[in-house]
Amino acid sequence: MTSLLSVSQGMNPLDETILAWANALSHPLFLQGMAIITYLGSSEFIILLMLITIIALIIFKRDWFNSIFILWLTVGGIVLNFGLKILFQRERPGEMSYIEVFGISMEIASYSFPSGHTMRSVLLFSFFIYLSYTYLKNTSLRLASYTFCLLLIIGVFLSRVILDAHFPTDIIAAICVSISWFFFSLYYLPKWMTKFRLTDRFR
């Protein structure tokens, strides 16, 4: 029986309007650039960058909280995205694909709603914006970091639509869920760590 929670397979007017604009951007060089940008939201890139960030925070800053924070954000975001995909089961605009990590196919259908690439990139680059606010004292450098991260988020957003990997509403939902998860984690994680005395252990 079809899931009662499934999102309608048809496009809504917002999807149709944005996709009509995206389909006009079909120059081969532009599409090649979008393919490179979309890699920034891949599981492989996000996991590697997360691990590098954790190592750097521990070695250079002895910052255990933010090391745990980025791990919590990334892993929790992946689990949340997978749960929502299974819950809504919206088919992709193109052919159905399977979840693949480091070239290994897990033979699990990768549904469209919400966009995993977008969720992962929004969470990671939101963390870098937060980290810039925490560590960068120079206002110009801080603004440059904010701008760079926002441009990367927008780039991944556009690439998923232009490459016909997602409906625009999949991506809008992913942004909303990611921002909610980020601020939920930022508010509650310190409280939980204090409650279970983890802050004392990682000083």
Side-chain angles (χ1 to χ4, degrees), residues 11-29:
M11 289 191 295
N12 58 49
L14 179 60
D15 286 326
E16 292 175 350
T17 300
I18 297 176
L19 284 175
W21 166 79
N23 289 335
L25 304 173
S26 58
H27 191 280
L29 288 178

Side-chain angles (χ1 to χ4, degrees), residues 148-165:
F148 182 67
C149 290
L150 287 172
L151 287 175
L152 290 177
I153 290 173
I154 293 170
V156 173
F157 175 111
L158 292 176
S159 72
R160 301 310 287 166
V161 175
I162 291 169
L163 294 176
D164 204 28

Side-chain angles (χ1 to χ4, degrees), residues 24-39:
L25 304 173
S26 58
H27 191 280
L29 288 178
F30 183 74
L31 294 178
Q32 188 175 6
M34 288 292 98
I36 294 172
I37 291 175
T38 203
Y39 181 73

